[in-house]
């Protein structure tokens, strides 16, 4: 677990109930404000609010962000492994890496998970299966993605960071131990030590040193006391989900001040 890295703030712009122009403006403003990472999510319909409201697709949007931004890292929180062939995902990720490499090194983060939103599957013709089968598919997909990165020409500009979301101890945390550079969850501060111990046990099985693993957690509907406790438990990447079109920039400013105080 990486503790000597600076605290970073990622903002997830939920691509629902907004026009794309709202998202474009928010991306520019948040990068200028000093946010470290920008995320969207990988769904085809709103997750709450009007179920048939405005919504935009993840990966094509990330291509625009790669070109639009100069400094900020970006990705999906998180990509759904089920929606695209794994080798295609690898190629798309490598391409986003190169598009965003305006100073020589790409800025894309490959966040991924097994998927859960059944409507996406039903309406777009994917097999929903079971939680177990989707996790098995994620396991195979991660192996294919990392293998494909080694075979692409040109290869990625850097070792693309892999972010895995979830907390299941039998499969998900084993995938974290095997593949992840960033582990993202919503677990409470008092849960983190146990979950991290599970990751360490799986790391021993996988014969991998997870000393470079960054722990990530969510800030939405939490206050600074919870954030402090998450920090004390080892969290170094904090994400904040925002809804538009009236993005709460004052809330972001408050968390940026908290981040900077931690890094002082």
């Amino acid at each position: 677990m990486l503790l000597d890295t600076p605290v970073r703030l990622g903002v997830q712009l939920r691509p629902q109930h907004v026009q794309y122009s709202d998202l474009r403006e928010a991306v520019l403003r948040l990068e200028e404000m000093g946010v470290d990472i920008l995320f969207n999510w990988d769904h085809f319909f709103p997750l709450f609010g009007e179920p048939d409201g405005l919504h935009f697709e993840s990966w094509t949007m990330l291509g625009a962000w790669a070109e639009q931004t100069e400094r900020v890292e970006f990705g999906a929180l998180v990509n759904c492994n089920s929606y695209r062939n794994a080798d295609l995902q690898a190629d798309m990720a490598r391409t986003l890496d190169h598009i965003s490499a305006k100073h020589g090194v790409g800025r894309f983060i490959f966040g991924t998970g097994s998927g859960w939103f059944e409507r996406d599957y039903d309406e777009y013709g994917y097999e929903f299966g079971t939680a177990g089968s989707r996790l098995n598919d994620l396991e195979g997909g991660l192996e294919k993605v990392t293998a494909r990165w080694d075979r692409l020409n040109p290869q990625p500009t850097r070792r693309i960071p892999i972010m895995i979301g979830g907390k299941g101890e039998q499969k998900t945390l084993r995938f974290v131990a095997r593949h992840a550079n960033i582990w993202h969850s919503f677990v409470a501060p008092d849960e983190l030590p146990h979950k991290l111990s599970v990751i360490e046990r799986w790391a021993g099985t996988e014969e991998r040193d997870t000393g470079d693993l960054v722990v990530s957690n969510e800030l939405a509907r939490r206050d600074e006391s919870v954030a402090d406790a998450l920090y004390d438990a080892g969290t170094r990447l904090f994400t904040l989900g925002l809804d538009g079109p009236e993005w709460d920039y004052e809330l972001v400013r408050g968390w940026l001040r908290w981040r900077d105080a931690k890094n002082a």
Side-chain angles (χ1 to χ4, degrees):
M1 183 175 60
L2 197 59
L3 295 177
D4 59 353
T5 186
V7 172
R8 292 187 295 165
L9 178 66
V11 172
Q12 182 189 51
L13 296 172
R14 297 165 177 157
Q16 60 177 7
H17 311 306
V18 294
Q19 298 290 345
Y20 187 73
S21 57
D22 299 317
L23 290 159
R24 182 189 299 114
E25 179 183 351
V27 166
L28 287 172
R29 186 164 177 179
L30 289 166
E31 182 176 46
E32 183 178 358
M33 287 173 62
V35 165
D36 299 292
I37 307 172
L38 290 173
F39 295 107
N40 61 17
W41 66 30
D42 189 20
H43 296 287
F44 305 130
F45 300 94
L47 296 188
F48 42 86
E50 168 53 48
D52 293 315
L54 299 172
H55 199 277
F56 291 97
E57 192 275 330
S58 172
W59 281 80
T60 44
M61 185 188 308
L62 294 176
W65 292 8
E67 192 62 64
Q68 178 183 354
T69 58
E70 295 285 339
R71 174 196 56 79
V72 72
E73 290 189 290
F74 64 98
L77 187 62
V78 290
N79 165 67
C80 177
N81 174 72
S82 306
Y83 299 162
R84 301 161 194 88
N85 171 280
D87 290 280
L88 173 62
Q89 292 177 56
D91 204 338
M92 294 164 70
R94 180 279 310 261
T95 300
L96 288 173
D97 172 76
H98 279 266
I99 294 171
S100 64
K102 297 182 179 179
H103 304 287
V105 178
R107 295 174 284 119
F108 177 67
I109 294 173
F110 183 68
T112 194
S114 60
W116 61 273
F117 190 42
E118 190 168 2
R119 185 184 180 189
D120 284 347
Y121 288 81
D122 291 345
E123 296 220 25
Y124 277 60
Y126 301 114
E127 181 181 352
F128 188 58
T130 66
S133 68
R134 294 193 301 276
L135 281 165
N136 291 339
D137 290 343
L138 175 61
E139 180 178 21
L142 284 163
E143 298 291 344
K144 289 180 180 180
V145 166
T146 53
R148 178 61 61 182
W149 281 338
D150 291 334
R151 298 197 297 271
L152 289 169
N153 184 16
Q155 291 187 353
T157 66
R158 65 173 180 169
R159 181 187 175 193
I160 296 176
I162 295 174
M163 179 185 212
I164 297 177
K167 63 177 185 177
E169 296 182 9
Q170 295 305 308
K171 291 186 178 181
T172 302
L173 296 187
R174 183 168 190 171
F175 304 160
V176 170
R178 184 184 303 164
H179 293 289
N181 306 101
I182 306 168
W183 168 52
H184 181 75
S185 77
F186 296 81
V187 302
D190 58 0
E191 293 181 84
L192 272 178
H194 170 68
K195 295 296 184 182
L196 290 170
S197 72
V198 173
I199 292 172
E200 287 306 306
R201 290 201 300 270
W202 279 125
T205 301
E206 297 292 332
E207 298 183 344
R208 182 195 167 201
D209 179 4
T210 56
D212 63 348
L213 180 69
V214 174
V215 177
S216 172
N217 209 303
E218 173 65 28
L219 290 171
R221 298 177 297 280
R222 287 170 161 173
D223 59 21
E224 288 192 8
S225 66
V226 177
D228 288 340
L230 288 168
Y231 176 87
D232 291 341
T235 304
R236 291 297 180 270
L237 172 58
F238 294 82
T239 66
L240 178 65
L242 291 186
D243 292 302
E246 300 300 324
W247 315 102
D248 192 344
Y249 293 114
E250 285 305 313
L251 180 63
V252 175
R253 287 191 182 92
W255 285 116
L256 286 171
R257 288 191 293 269
W258 178 86
R259 177 202 67 183
D260 292 344
K262 290 294 185 189
N263 291 333

